Amino acid sequence: MVDEFLSVSAAFEDSEDIGAARDLARDFLTDVQAVHGLPVSGRAMGTVQLVVSELVTNARKYAPGPCLLTLEVQGGAVEVSVWDSSTTLPLILPADPRRVGQHGLEIVMAVSQSFAVYREPVGKRITAAITLADVPGGA
């Protein structure tokens, strides 16, 4: 059991940083497993990188200035949180297989244990939680 709080944060300002955000998520989860002994399934590793990519891409596309990515492990899950400066809340469209594009949040909601949007004093924060292990006590 890990008693410490596991977290990492980074700011991203350019669209080219989306790959760096995915790398940060992969490296963080690798350390969570290797250093702290928490199970991280291959599914969780890929899913977290997908969620990070989608949320950071949206922040870079729709909000001016930098965005802040925070990853926090608690309760057997990793919470992915992305803050940006835009006060406009995301438009979550209903599923439509004929629509070209704009499926990112639909995908994030489908693969996440939880999903939420919060207004902040400046901007907004979008969070999604992904379970780390596929079975209790295992990866």
Side-chain angles (χ1 to χ4, degrees):
M1 173 107 190
V2 176
D3 291 329
E4 60 193 279
F5 183 69
L6 304 176
S7 174
V8 66
S9 294
F12 298 98
E13 296 192 44
D14 298 313
S15 294
E16 296 81 27
D17 288 341
I18 295 164
R22 282 191 304 269
D23 292 345
L24 176 71
R26 184 193 61 242
D27 293 346
F28 175 67
L29 291 179
T30 297
D31 285 350
V32 163
Q33 185 162 359
V35 175
H36 300 283
L38 293 176
V40 178
S41 70
R43 174 212 42 86
M45 181 69 77
T47 300
V48 169
Q49 289 179 79
L50 170 68
V51 168
V52 163
S53 184
E54 291 294 339
L55 295 182
V56 171
T57 295
N58 284 352
R60 298 304 324 123
K61 186 174 181 180
Y62 298 112
C67 68
L68 177 66
L69 167 67
T70 302
L71 302 168
E72 298 176 350
V73 171
Q74 52 190 347
V78 60
E79 183 178 90
V80 177
S81 177
V82 176
W83 171 89
D84 67 53
S85 63
S86 175
T87 57
T88 304
L89 299 181
L91 180 60
I92 300 169
L93 302 171
D96 181 356
R98 296 170 301 195
R99 183 177 66 242
V100 176
Q102 295 187 323
H103 293 278
L105 288 180
E106 184 181 330
I107 292 167
V108 169
M109 290 187 313
V111 300
S112 299
Q113 175 183 340
S114 66
F115 175 85
V117 178
Y118 303 96
R119 287 191 186 273
E120 297 284 334
V122 175
K124 67 180 168 299
R125 180 176 307 278
I126 299 175
T127 64
I130 295 94
T131 304
L132 289 174
D134 290 340
V135 294

